[in-house]
Amino acid sequence: MSFLQRPGAGQLPMVQAEAVHKSFGAVEVLKGIDLTVQPGEVFCVIGPSGSGKSTFLRCINHLEKIDAGRLRVDGELVGYRESGGLLYELKDREVAERRRDIGMVFQRFNLFPHMTALANVTEAPVQVRREPRARARQRAEALLERVGLADKRDVFPAQLSGGQQQRVAIARALAMEPKLMLFDEPTSALDPELVGEVLDVMRGLADEGMTMIVVTHEMGFAREVGDALVFMDGGVVVEAGHPREVLADPRHERTRAFLSKVL
């Protein structure tokens, strides 16, 4: 089931999930997720803790393996190839190659503590894409300027605020020139006064047409920047639509109950 407009002629969805299931032991975390994300969309995912939001995000880049269904990014199966109606998992090298096109920003910044901001952003293009270090460094400097941290290039993570570390993490993800960016509650670990500087960078990416899936509790960002929104609970999509419509007039009682506590 697709909640958004279908792609135009010749245009593939950036993300297509069909009946995606995922369990951890006896606990079924995703119970048949169907959704479509079009190129250039800012797709927001909201819901209570334990609803499966972060697990679904991790399935998109095969950090978690799905148990059933189909999950495609830009028309290609994530982590698998299909033959005779059966899925066969790709080798680690093939998974890593496909993952290059997907940037991910986590709740915790996961920066290398022994590297400067500039080195953190430079490292992946050099090690993964075999990019010449001089070129990677030049692009890293431009990306740090883009996220407002040109003056912090030689500073180590421990000397940066949480908001600054998260902006370095965004620059690091962008250094791989992804076609899709995944944000897993990128502001939840930040002090309230630092949230705005990260959201401003994300707004800039949206304005530039970056396809983004954002798991978030920032309802103002979803309302102002989002093109589509889903509310998840209990491993299923309960409600979906345009963010302003869902947030202002939710149809489902479960959505109303959740929003009454967070708005």
Side-chain angles (χ1 to χ4, degrees), residues 30-56:
L30 300 178
K31 303 175 182 178
I33 300 296
D34 295 282
L35 56 80
T36 302
V37 181
Q38 303 295 355
E41 279 191 325
V42 178
F43 192 99
C44 297
V45 184
I46 65 171
S49 297
S51 60
K53 310 183 302 296
S54 293
T55 297
F56 177 68

PDB file of all heavy atoms in Angstrom, residues 30-56:
ATOM      1  N   LEU A  30       8.396  -5.313  13.388  1.00  0.00           N
ATOM      2  CA  LEU A  30       7.733  -4.762  12.203  1.00  0.00           C
ATOM      3  C   LEU A  30       6.761  -5.805  11.680  1.00  0.00           C
ATOM      4  O   LEU A  30       7.140  -6.950  11.425  1.00  0.00           O
ATOM      5  CB  LEU A  30       8.763  -4.408  11.123  1.00  0.00           C
ATOM      6  CG  LEU A  30       9.831  -3.379  11.507  1.00  0.00           C
ATOM      7  CD1 LEU A  30      10.816  -3.175  10.352  1.00  0.00           C
ATOM      8  CD2 LEU A  30       9.213  -2.048  11.928  1.00  0.00           C
ATOM      9  N   LYS A  31       5.510  -5.393  11.491  1.00  0.00           N
ATOM     10  CA  LYS A  31       4.443  -6.350  11.212  1.00  0.00           C
ATOM     11  C   LYS A  31       3.796  -6.111   9.848  1.00  0.00           C
ATOM     12  O   LYS A  31       2.578  -6.130   9.711  1.00  0.00           O
ATOM     13  CB  LYS A  31       3.383  -6.279  12.316  1.00  0.00           C
ATOM     14  CG  LYS A  31       3.943  -6.532  13.711  1.00  0.00           C
ATOM     15  CD  LYS A  31       2.895  -6.340  14.789  1.00  0.00           C
ATOM     16  CE  LYS A  31       3.482  -6.557  16.176  1.00  0.00           C
ATOM     17  NZ  LYS A  31       2.485  -6.316  17.249  1.00  0.00           N
ATOM     18  N   GLY A  32       4.639  -5.846   8.859  1.00  0.00           N
ATOM     19  CA  GLY A  32       4.110  -5.661   7.519  1.00  0.00           C
ATOM     20  C   GLY A  32       4.029  -4.197   7.124  1.00  0.00           C
ATOM     21  O   GLY A  32       2.956  -3.649   6.944  1.00  0.00           O
ATOM     22  N   ILE A  33       5.191  -3.563   6.987  1.00  0.00           N
ATOM     23  CA  ILE A  33       5.251  -2.138   6.668  1.00  0.00           C
ATOM     24  C   ILE A  33       5.177  -1.943   5.159  1.00  0.00           C
ATOM     25  O   ILE A  33       5.948  -2.526   4.396  1.00  0.00           O
ATOM     26  CB  ILE A  33       6.549  -1.502   7.213  1.00  0.00           C
ATOM     27  CG1 ILE A  33       6.637  -1.652   8.731  1.00  0.00           C
ATOM     28  CG2 ILE A  33       6.648  -0.039   6.798  1.00  0.00           C
ATOM     29  CD1 ILE A  33       5.558  -0.930   9.498  1.00  0.00           C
ATOM     30  N   ASP A  34       4.225  -1.103   4.740  1.00  0.00           N
ATOM     31  CA  ASP A  34       4.082  -0.715   3.332  1.00  0.00           C
ATOM     32  C   ASP A  34       4.181   0.795   3.251  1.00  0.00           C
ATOM     33  O   ASP A  34       3.366   1.501   3.866  1.00  0.00           O
ATOM     34  CB  ASP A  34       2.721  -1.140   2.777  1.00  0.00           C
ATOM     35  CG  ASP A  34       2.538  -2.642   2.736  1.00  0.00           C
ATOM     36  OD1 ASP A  34       3.081  -3.277   1.834  1.00  0.00           O
ATOM     37  OD2 ASP A  34       1.832  -3.170   3.627  1.00  0.00           O
ATOM     38  N   LEU A  35       5.141   1.300   2.510  1.00  0.00           N
ATOM     39  CA  LEU A  35       5.204   2.743   2.279  1.00  0.00           C
ATOM     40  C   LEU A  35       6.121   3.042   1.098  1.00  0.00           C
ATOM     41  O   LEU A  35       6.942   2.210   0.701  1.00  0.00           O
ATOM     42  CB  LEU A  35       5.638   3.512   3.530  1.00  0.00           C
ATOM     43  CG  LEU A  35       6.948   3.162   4.232  1.00  0.00           C
ATOM     44  CD1 LEU A  35       8.138   3.790   3.525  1.00  0.00           C
ATOM     45  CD2 LEU A  35       6.910   3.631   5.675  1.00  0.00           C
ATOM     46  N   THR A  36       5.947   4.239   0.562  1.00  0.00           N
ATOM     47  CA  THR A  36       6.720   4.672  -0.598  1.00  0.00           C
ATOM     48  C   THR A  36       7.240   6.075  -0.352  1.00  0.00           C
ATOM     49  O   THR A  36       6.485   6.943   0.094  1.00  0.00           O
ATOM     50  CB  THR A  36       5.856   4.666  -1.873  1.00  0.00           C
ATOM     51  OG1 THR A  36       5.342   3.351  -2.083  1.00  0.00           O
ATOM     52  CG2 THR A  36       6.674   5.074  -3.086  1.00  0.00           C
ATOM     53  N   VAL A  37       8.517   6.275  -0.636  1.00  0.00           N
ATOM     54  CA  VAL A  37       9.145   7.588  -0.519  1.00  0.00           C
ATOM     55  C   VAL A  37       9.645   7.995  -1.899  1.00  0.00           C
ATOM     56  O   VAL A  37      10.423   7.262  -2.520  1.00  0.00           O
ATOM     57  CB  VAL A  37      10.321   7.568   0.475  1.00  0.00           C
ATOM     58  CG1 VAL A  37      10.950   8.958   0.598  1.00  0.00           C
ATOM     59  CG2 VAL A  37       9.869   7.054   1.842  1.00  0.00           C
ATOM     60  N   GLN A  38       9.189   9.137  -2.359  1.00  0.00           N
ATOM     61  CA  GLN A  38       9.574   9.606  -3.688  1.00  0.00           C
ATOM     62  C   GLN A  38      10.870  10.409  -3.640  1.00  0.00           C
ATOM     63  O   GLN A  38      11.230  10.977  -2.601  1.00  0.00           O
ATOM     64  CB  GLN A  38       8.462  10.476  -4.285  1.00  0.00           C
ATOM     65  CG  GLN A  38       7.110   9.800  -4.377  1.00  0.00           C
ATOM     66  CD  GLN A  38       7.087   8.623  -5.333  1.00  0.00           C
ATOM     67  OE1 GLN A  38       8.080   8.359  -6.019  1.00  0.00           O
ATOM     68  NE2 GLN A  38       5.976   7.905  -5.396  1.00  0.00           N
ATOM     69  N   PRO A  39      11.608  10.463  -4.754  1.00  0.00           N
ATOM     70  CA  PRO A  39      12.826  11.276  -4.797  1.00  0.00           C
ATOM     71  C   PRO A  39      12.541  12.730  -4.429  1.00  0.00           C
ATOM     72  O   PRO A  39      11.552  13.316  -4.870  1.00  0.00           O
ATOM     73  CB  PRO A  39      13.279  11.159  -6.259  1.00  0.00           C
ATOM     74  CG  PRO A  39      12.695   9.866  -6.735  1.00  0.00           C
ATOM     75  CD  PRO A  39      11.371   9.749  -6.034  1.00  0.00           C
ATOM     76  N   GLY A  40      13.397  13.283  -3.587  1.00  0.00           N
ATOM     77  CA  GLY A  40      13.267  14.675  -3.192  1.00  0.00           C
ATOM     78  C   GLY A  40      12.334  14.922  -2.030  1.00  0.00           C
ATOM     79  O   GLY A  40      12.208  16.060  -1.575  1.00  0.00           O
ATOM     80  N   GLU A  41      11.692  13.889  -1.525  1.00  0.00           N
ATOM     81  CA  GLU A  41      10.754  14.070  -0.423  1.00  0.00           C
ATOM     82  C   GLU A  41      11.452  14.087   0.933  1.00  0.00           C
ATOM     83  O   GLU A  41      12.469  13.423   1.134  1.00  0.00           O
ATOM     84  CB  GLU A  41       9.711  12.948  -0.398  1.00  0.00           C
ATOM     85  CG  GLU A  41       8.585  13.152  -1.375  1.00  0.00           C
ATOM     86  CD  GLU A  41       7.464  12.162  -1.124  1.00  0.00           C
ATOM     87  OE1 GLU A  41       7.739  11.018  -0.744  1.00  0.00           O
ATOM     88  OE2 GLU A  41       6.299  12.545  -1.340  1.00  0.00           O
ATOM     89  N   VAL A  42      10.868  14.839   1.858  1.00  0.00           N
ATOM     90  CA  VAL A  42      11.213  14.754   3.267  1.00  0.00           C
ATOM     91  C   VAL A  42      10.089  13.955   3.930  1.00  0.00           C
ATOM     92  O   VAL A  42       8.962  14.425   4.049  1.00  0.00           O
ATOM     93  CB  VAL A  42      11.346  16.138   3.911  1.00  0.00           C
ATOM     94  CG1 VAL A  42      11.663  16.014   5.402  1.00  0.00           C
ATOM     95  CG2 VAL A  42      12.432  16.946   3.201  1.00  0.00           C
ATOM     96  N   PHE A  43      10.409  12.739   4.309  1.00  0.00           N
ATOM     97  CA  PHE A  43       9.427  11.776   4.798  1.00  0.00           C
ATOM     98  C   PHE A  43       9.655  11.603   6.299  1.00  0.00           C
ATOM     99  O   PHE A  43      10.693  11.101   6.720  1.00  0.00           O
ATOM    100  CB  PHE A  43       9.616  10.449   4.057  1.00  0.00           C
ATOM    101  CG  PHE A  43       8.513   9.452   4.242  1.00  0.00           C
ATOM    102  CD1 PHE A  43       7.519   9.309   3.289  1.00  0.00           C
ATOM    103  CD2 PHE A  43       8.468   8.642   5.374  1.00  0.00           C
ATOM    104  CE1 PHE A  43       6.506   8.377   3.452  1.00  0.00           C
ATOM    105  CE2 PHE A  43       7.465   7.715   5.547  1.00  0.00           C
ATOM    106  CZ  PHE A  43       6.469   7.580   4.582  1.00  0.00           C
ATOM    107  N   CYS A  44       8.704  12.042   7.101  1.00  0.00           N
ATOM    108  CA  CYS A  44       8.855  12.024   8.548  1.00  0.00           C
ATOM    109  C   CYS A  44       8.116  10.829   9.155  1.00  0.00           C
ATOM    110  O   CYS A  44       7.015  10.485   8.718  1.00  0.00           O
ATOM    111  CB  CYS A  44       8.326  13.316   9.161  1.00  0.00           C
ATOM    112  SG  CYS A  44       9.255  14.786   8.630  1.00  0.00           S
ATOM    113  N   VAL A  45       8.736  10.230  10.153  1.00  0.00           N
ATOM    114  CA  VAL A  45       8.162   9.077  10.853  1.00  0.00           C
ATOM    115  C   VAL A  45       8.081   9.417  12.334  1.00  0.00           C
ATOM    116  O   VAL A  45       9.092   9.762  12.950  1.00  0.00           O
ATOM    117  CB  VAL A  45       9.012   7.809  10.652  1.00  0.00           C
ATOM    118  CG1 VAL A  45       8.339   6.609  11.300  1.00  0.00           C
ATOM    119  CG2 VAL A  45       9.253   7.548   9.165  1.00  0.00           C
ATOM    120  N   ILE A  46       6.885   9.337  12.896  1.00  0.00           N
ATOM    121  CA  ILE A  46       6.689   9.623  14.311  1.00  0.00           C
ATOM    122  C   ILE A  46       6.035   8.428  14.982  1.00  0.00           C
ATOM    123  O   ILE A  46       5.512   7.534  14.314  1.00  0.00           O
ATOM    124  CB  ILE A  46       5.830  10.894  14.531  1.00  0.00           C
ATOM    125  CG1 ILE A  46       4.397  10.698  13.999  1.00  0.00           C
ATOM    126  CG2 ILE A  46       6.484  12.109  13.869  1.00  0.00           C
ATOM    127  CD1 ILE A  46       3.443  11.823  14.366  1.00  0.00           C
ATOM    128  N   GLY A  47       6.079   8.422  16.301  1.00  0.00           N
ATOM    129  CA  GLY A  47       5.453   7.344  17.048  1.00  0.00           C
ATOM    130  C   GLY A  47       6.139   7.155  18.385  1.00  0.00           C
ATOM    131  O   GLY A  47       7.229   7.685  18.620  1.00  0.00           O
ATOM    132  N   PRO A  48       5.524   6.408  19.284  1.00  0.00           N
ATOM    133  CA  PRO A  48       6.114   6.196  20.610  1.00  0.00           C
ATOM    134  C   PRO A  48       7.340   5.314  20.549  1.00  0.00           C
ATOM    135  O   PRO A  48       7.601   4.629  19.558  1.00  0.00           O
ATOM    136  CB  PRO A  48       4.980   5.508  21.380  1.00  0.00           C
ATOM    137  CG  PRO A  48       4.186   4.798  20.320  1.00  0.00           C
ATOM    138  CD  PRO A  48       4.236   5.699  19.123  1.00  0.00           C
ATOM    139  N   SER A  49       8.111   5.309  21.636  1.00  0.00           N
ATOM    140  CA  SER A  49       9.255   4.416  21.743  1.00  0.00           C
ATOM    141  C   SER A  49       8.786   2.969  21.624  1.00  0.00           C
ATOM    142  O   SER A  49       7.736   2.603  22.146  1.00  0.00           O
ATOM    143  CB  SER A  49       9.971   4.621  23.085  1.00  0.00           C
ATOM    144  OG  SER A  49      10.490   5.925  23.161  1.00  0.00           O
ATOM    145  N   GLY A  50       9.568   2.166  20.904  1.00  0.00           N
ATOM    146  CA  GLY A  50       9.212   0.771  20.738  1.00  0.00           C
ATOM    147  C   GLY A  50       8.233   0.480  19.624  1.00  0.00           C
ATOM    148  O   GLY A  50       7.791  -0.655  19.457  1.00  0.00           O
ATOM    149  N   SER A  51       7.929   1.490  18.823  1.00  0.00           N
ATOM    150  CA  SER A  51       6.944   1.296  17.750  1.00  0.00           C
ATOM    151  C   SER A  51       7.548   0.696  16.486  1.00  0.00           C
ATOM    152  O   SER A  51       6.827   0.329  15.565  1.00  0.00           O
ATOM    153  CB  SER A  51       6.261   2.626  17.415  1.00  0.00           C
ATOM    154  OG  SER A  51       7.207   3.587  16.987  1.00  0.00           O
ATOM    155  N   GLY A  52       8.891   0.613  16.419  1.00  0.00           N
ATOM    156  CA  GLY A  52       9.549   0.042  15.251  1.00  0.00           C
ATOM    157  C   GLY A  52      10.169   1.056  14.317  1.00  0.00           C
ATOM    158  O   GLY A  52      10.725   0.679  13.281  1.00  0.00           O
ATOM    159  N   LYS A  53      10.107   2.335  14.667  1.00  0.00           N
ATOM    160  CA  LYS A  53      10.605   3.392  13.778  1.00  0.00           C
ATOM    161  C   LYS A  53      12.090   3.219  13.457  1.00  0.00           C
ATOM    162  O   LYS A  53      12.488   3.195  12.290  1.00  0.00           O
ATOM    163  CB  LYS A  53      10.390   4.791  14.414  1.00  0.00           C
ATOM    164  CG  LYS A  53       9.006   5.069  14.921  1.00  0.00           C
ATOM    165  CD  LYS A  53       8.875   6.478  15.466  1.00  0.00           C
ATOM    166  CE  LYS A  53       9.832   6.818  16.587  1.00  0.00           C
ATOM    167  NZ  LYS A  53       9.621   6.023  17.825  1.00  0.00           N
ATOM    168  N   SER A  54      12.896   3.131  14.500  1.00  0.00           N
ATOM    169  CA  SER A  54      14.345   3.038  14.290  1.00  0.00           C
ATOM    170  C   SER A  54      14.728   1.719  13.632  1.00  0.00           C
ATOM    171  O   SER A  54      15.642   1.673  12.801  1.00  0.00           O
ATOM    172  CB  SER A  54      15.087   3.204  15.623  1.00  0.00           C
ATOM    173  OG  SER A  54      14.921   4.515  16.128  1.00  0.00           O
ATOM    174  N   THR A  55      14.039   0.652  13.987  1.00  0.00           N
ATOM    175  CA  THR A  55      14.316  -0.643  13.357  1.00  0.00           C
ATOM    176  C   THR A  55      14.063  -0.568  11.860  1.00  0.00           C
ATOM    177  O   THR A  55      14.861  -1.047  11.050  1.00  0.00           O
ATOM    178  CB  THR A  55      13.450  -1.745  13.986  1.00  0.00           C
ATOM    179  OG1 THR A  55      13.798  -1.881  15.361  1.00  0.00           O
ATOM    180  CG2 THR A  55      13.657  -3.080  13.273  1.00  0.00           C
ATOM    181  N   PHE A  56      12.953   0.051  11.462  1.00  0.00           N
ATOM    182  CA  PHE A  56      12.661   0.184  10.037  1.00  0.00           C
ATOM    183  C   PHE A  56      13.752   0.988   9.338  1.00  0.00           C
ATOM    184  O   PHE A  56      14.214   0.624   8.247  1.00  0.00           O
ATOM    185  CB  PHE A  56      11.299   0.838   9.818  1.00  0.00           C
ATOM    186  CG  PHE A  56      10.979   1.058   8.371  1.00  0.00           C
ATOM    187  CD1 PHE A  56      10.751  -0.013   7.529  1.00  0.00           C
ATOM    188  CD2 PHE A  56      10.953   2.340   7.838  1.00  0.00           C
ATOM    189  CE1 PHE A  56      10.483   0.177   6.169  1.00  0.00           C
ATOM    190  CE2 PHE A  56      10.684   2.537   6.493  1.00  0.00           C
ATOM    191  CZ  PHE A  56      10.452   1.458   5.666  1.00  0.00           C
TER     192      PHE A  56
END
